[in-house]
């Protein structure tokens, strides 16, 4: 069966950075007119300027996220210019465990390995990287690397619980930055033992992350179309290092998420834009769900920050213990019992009750607005 290769230029975060009147804009929408009308309505790359906060808040909080960009740029440059050592070491299968342990030591919470196939890669670069001057829009991507080390870091759940709020964006961006640091260190190490390596960050992707993480056995794909990890749920960010170092690949896992999602659908019910759909769609033999990326981003534009309600709605994000998971695995009745008890604690509302003081308040960054 012929496999589809994704094109990064089709991703929403690339499309909304196209500027009207440019060659890229005209070429893209001539070839794909069905995207144009809705994309034009939500074309606001600097959507966070819409956030409903006063000027004092904006001047205090925006630099928290903007300050990460120069650091990210320098990480990419450092790794890219780091030479590949001439003293290539020879490794066997057991070395994969060393690489996984090292990735965890650098800060990852779970790690898997895949053998890269051509269809893992995007065909072309999109506009990711524009914020740190790394955009190579339209460049063809050559599948030069043979393996990928794929890993995850959980987001700060106290911050994510405030979704949709500016804390969601802070939690997201700081976790992306940690992902980049882990990836950069690992890529530098791999180059130092004689193999090519490059790390993915939220500003540099050679491939979409969810299929990689699924193939690497880090979790299953939930109704929200995110990867759901058995311990950290949806509240994670994904990273990867692509390399020519040959490692022993892992395989996809099944912890009963399909049956759970069928009974749960909390991400779908809590999504304010109805962007999440229950219908399955199989892409390259991986089980995804239908999803409306335009209405989802409309929410970001409306509120001026990351949404993340689907991430915090997922019962798996609250860390269901493994014994409970095993007891209800593929058993609709037990799943319903679990959900009843879960909802009696969290309530049907999308916001969790939040008794903990958080750091971000209107007009300040150090008070208690719980
Ligand atoms: S981020 Fe918000 S709008 Fe987008 S799918 Fe999730 S809940 Fe819906
Ligand atoms: S919220 Fe429920 S339906 Fe959505 S991904 Fe999580 S488990 Fe699946």
């Amino acid at each position: 069966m012929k496999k589809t290769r994704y094109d990064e230029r089709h991703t929403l975060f690339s499309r909304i950075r196209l500027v009207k009147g440019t060659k890229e804009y005209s070429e893209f929408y001539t070839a794909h007119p069905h995207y144009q009308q809705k994309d034009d309505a939500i074309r606001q790359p600097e959507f966070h300027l819409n956030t409903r906060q006063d000027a004092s808040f904006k001047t205090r909080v925006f630099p928290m996220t903007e300050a990460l960009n120069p650091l990210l740029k320098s990480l990419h440059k450092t790794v890219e210019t780091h030479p590949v050592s001439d003293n290539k070491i020879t490794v066997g299968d057991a070395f994969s465990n060393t690489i996984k342990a090292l990735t965890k030591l650098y800060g990852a919470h779970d790690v898997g390995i895949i053998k890269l196939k051509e269809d893992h890669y995007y065909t072309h670069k999109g506009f990711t990287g524009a914020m740190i001057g790394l955009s190579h829009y339209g460049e063809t991507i050559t599948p030069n690397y043979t393996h990928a080390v794929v890993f995850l870091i959980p987001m700060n759940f106290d911050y994510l619980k405030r979704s949709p709020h500016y804390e969601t964006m802070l939690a997201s961006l700081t976790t992306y930055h940690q992902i980049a640091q882990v990836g950069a260190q690992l890529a530098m190490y791999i180059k130092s033992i004689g193999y090519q390596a490059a790390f993915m960050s939220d500003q540099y992707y050679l491939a979409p992350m969810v299929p990689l993480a699924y193939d690497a056995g880090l979790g299953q794909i939930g109704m929200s179309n995110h990867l759901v990890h058995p311990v950290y749920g949806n509240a994670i960010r994904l990273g990867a290092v692509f390399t020519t170092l040959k490692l022993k690949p892992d395989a996809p896992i099944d912890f009963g998420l399909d049956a759970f999602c069928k009974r749960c659908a909390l991400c779908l019910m809590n999504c304010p834009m109805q962007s999440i759909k229950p219908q399955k769609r199989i892409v390259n033999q991986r089980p995804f769900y239908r999803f409306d990326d335009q209405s989802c981003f409309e929410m970001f534009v409306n509120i001026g920050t990351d949404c993340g309600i689907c991430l915090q709605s997922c019962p798996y994000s609250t860390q269901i213990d493994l014994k409970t998971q095993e007891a209800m695995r593929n058993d609709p009745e037990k799943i319903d019992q679990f959900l009843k008890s879960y909802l009696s604690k969290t309530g049907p509302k999308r916001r969790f009750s939040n008794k903990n003081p958080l750091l971000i308040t209107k007009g300040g960054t150090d008070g208690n607005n719980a």
Side-chain angles (χ1 to χ4, degrees):
M1 184 193 292
K2 179 146 175 43
K3 301 235 174 130
T4 313
R5 237 175 115 183
Y6 296 90
D7 184 336
E8 198 191 23
R9 292 174 298 184
H10 289 232
T11 61
L12 183 122
F13 283 100
S14 177
R15 290 179 351 239
I16 49 113
R17 289 199 171 92
L18 289 167
V19 177
K20 273 188 186 176
T22 61
K23 183 170 146 275
E24 289 87 358
Y25 177 99
S26 153
E27 278 177 2
F28 184 84
Y29 290 111
T30 302
H32 310 285
H34 55 286
Y35 287 124
Q36 188 168 11
Q37 195 182 4
K38 272 198 178 174
D39 280 3
D40 281 347
I42 53 173
R43 189 174 307 286
Q44 285 214 22
E46 298 303 320
F47 64 86
H48 67 293
L49 294 176
N50 282 357
T51 200
R52 292 188 193 110
Q53 300 287 349
D54 59 23
S56 153
F57 175 93
K58 290 180 183 176
T59 49
R60 287 167 192 236
V61 176
F62 284 1
M64 289 184 195
T65 50
E66 283 155 7
L68 297 176
N69 287 338
L71 284 171
L72 193 53
K73 187 175 180 178
S74 70
L75 275 181
H76 276 291
K77 195 162 176 58
T78 305
V79 174
E80 199 186 315
T81 53
H82 189 70
V84 176
S85 168
D86 292 335
N87 296 322
K88 184 185 271 195
I89 67 162
T90 307
V91 302
D93 276 356
F95 195 67
S96 298
N97 289 334
T98 307
I99 287 289
K100 286 181 182 176
L102 188 64
T103 314
K104 285 188 178 172
L105 178 70
Y106 288 152
H109 284 234
D110 202 0
V111 189
I113 288 168
I114 57 166
K115 188 164 188 233
L116 285 166
K117 300 188 196 110
E118 198 170 321
D119 57 272
H120 282 120
Y121 284 89
Y122 284 127
T123 54
H124 297 83
K125 287 291 292 166
F127 258 135
T128 320
M131 277 160 71
I132 58 169
L134 271 186
S135 175
H136 301 283
Y137 189 83
E139 202 173 276
T140 307
I141 293 177
T142 313
N144 286 335
Y145 300 98
T146 57
H147 289 73
V149 182
V150 192
F151 56 92
L152 61 88
I153 297 181
M155 295 166 72
N156 182 309
F157 200 64
D158 268 347
Y159 275 55
L160 190 57
K161 277 196 296 197
R162 294 294 310 280
S163 301
H165 201 273
Y166 202 77
E167 282 98 331
T168 319
M169 184 184 272
L170 276 181
S172 186
L173 287 179
T174 49
T175 314
Y176 273 132
H177 195 69
Q178 289 159 3
I179 288 280
Q181 287 179 33
V182 173
Q185 289 177 88
L186 184 64
M188 296 280 273
Y189 168 70
I190 292 175
K191 286 182 129 185
S192 306
I193 58 170
Y195 297 86
Q196 290 287 356
F199 73 98
M200 308 298 111
S201 73
D202 69 318
Q203 292 298 313
Y204 182 81
Y205 289 120
L206 294 175
M209 289 286 107
V210 173
L212 299 186
Y214 173 80
D215 288 0
L218 291 180
Q220 289 185 257
I221 299 160
M223 196 176 279
S224 57
N225 275 307
H226 295 282
L227 189 91
V228 179
H229 184 266
V231 175
Y232 304 110
N234 251 330
I236 52 171
R237 291 293 177 226
L238 299 168
V241 169
F242 281 26
T243 179
T244 52
L245 172 65
K246 293 192 173 30
L247 295 163
K248 190 172 167 225
D250 293 295
I253 57 170
D254 181 351
F255 58 97
L257 187 71
D258 278 357
F260 192 93
C261 284
K262 263 190 206 145
R263 312 300 303 172
C264 169
L266 279 170
C267 52
L268 175 150
M269 288 188 282
N270 280 316
C271 173
M273 304 302 283
Q274 300 179 340
S275 310
I276 296 170
K277 317 283 179 196
Q279 294 88 2
K280 279 253 173 85
R281 61 186 172 107
I282 304 296
V283 186
N284 292 347
Q285 294 167 331
R286 298 182 196 98
F288 282 89
Y289 291 79
R290 278 185 54 223
F291 184 74
D292 179 354
D293 60 357
Q294 289 169 315
S295 62
C296 172
F297 192 67
E298 194 182 339
M299 173 74 179
F300 285 43
V301 171
N302 288 345
I303 59 175
T305 189
D306 283 20
C307 169
I309 290 170
C310 49
L311 305 186
Q312 62 108 316
S313 299
C314 183
Y316 277 93
S317 298
T318 60
Q319 304 198 353
I320 307 174
D321 67 78
L322 296 179
K323 212 167 142 201
T324 308
Q325 284 190 35
E326 197 46 49
M328 65 181 172
R329 191 182 156 121
N330 295 329
D331 182 333
E333 258 181 51
K334 290 201 174 122
I335 293 170
D336 285 352
Q337 275 168 21
F338 169 86
L339 285 167
K340 203 170 160 194
S341 147
Y342 173 82
L343 288 170
S344 72
K345 286 181 219 142
T346 61
K349 284 184 286 183
R350 60 174 183 257
R351 279 197 172 197
F352 285 68
S353 76
N354 180 15
K355 298 197 175 78
N356 296 326
L358 285 160
L359 296 176
I360 309 303
T361 64
K362 196 170 180 183
T365 55
D366 51 3
N368 177 355
N369 66 342

